[in-house]
Amino acid sequence: MAITDFLPKEYGYIVIIVVFYCFLNLWMGFQVGGARKRYKVPYPTLYAIESENKDAKLFNCVQRGHQNSLEMMPMYFILMILGGMKHPCICTGLGLLYNVSRFFYFKGYATGDPLKRLTIGKYGFLAMLGLAVCTISFAVTLLRG
């Protein structure tokens, strides 16, 4: 039995969107690396201390934008993978919305003003809610057999 026997052909879009997020996450990691150099925060220091570094808040905002994206990644991936099995096109759209909103979430956070992360970044939460609904729909389908 081939995998294409039970997954809709549109599921390929889910895979593309998830991989796109992986590249976005790598890009964010490179931004943190650049901020380390720019604000003189050596490894393995996770967050700068304001009493020791005048640019601590700027670095910490870049770091936090990436860290939050890492924290949300497992939930995003599982909702995309499972919800996409029944609703691949809807989840593709929601996943794309999430990826784009994550980019702006990070860029807004990296300004040093944490409130700017929510300008466009807030729509990621809407995307996650939609993905959760799609995943619950998939679960109900499985339970009904």
Side-chain angles (χ1 to χ4, degrees):
M1 175 190 264
I3 198 161
T4 55
D5 290 343
F6 66 92
L7 284 177
K9 68 177 179 164
E10 294 86 0
Y11 196 80
Y13 296 127
I14 297 295
V15 175
I16 290 168
I17 296 297
V18 167
V19 170
F20 175 62
Y21 188 81
C22 292
F23 283 113
L24 177 62
N25 187 52
L26 284 171
W27 174 80
M28 285 187 257
F30 285 124
Q31 299 307 303
V32 173
R36 279 189 181 285
K37 199 176 206 179
R38 189 169 45 257
Y39 301 127
K40 297 175 180 57
V41 179
Y43 288 104
T45 304
L46 190 58
Y47 290 102
I49 300 169
E50 291 190 26
S51 63
E52 297 174 8
N53 186 326
K54 65 179 177 59
D55 296 317
K57 183 177 181 186
L58 289 169
F59 172 76
N60 291 345
C61 283
V62 173
Q63 173 72 325
R64 188 67 199 126
H66 182 233
Q67 185 69 36
N68 183 266
S69 295
L70 290 171
E71 292 164 1
M72 297 294 288
M73 189 173 7
M75 184 171 34
Y76 169 63
F77 279 5
I78 200 71
L79 293 175
M80 279 290 289
I81 290 165
L82 294 175
M85 288 182 182
K86 180 174 181 189
H87 304 285
C89 294
I90 294 170
C91 288
T92 295
L94 291 169
L96 188 58
L97 173 63
Y98 184 79
N99 289 353
V100 169
S101 71
R102 263 292 132 176
F103 171 80
F104 287 105
Y105 183 96
F106 178 82
K107 290 294 281 182
Y109 221 147
T111 65
D113 179 0
L115 289 177
K116 289 185 179 176
R117 75 190 193 282
L118 298 175
T119 306
I120 295 174
K122 65 186 170 199
Y123 297 109
F125 300 107
L126 181 64
M128 288 292 273
L129 178 62
L131 290 170
V133 169
C134 288
T135 302
I136 290 167
S137 171
F138 175 58
V140 169
T141 299
L142 290 174
L143 291 170
R144 288 186 177 167

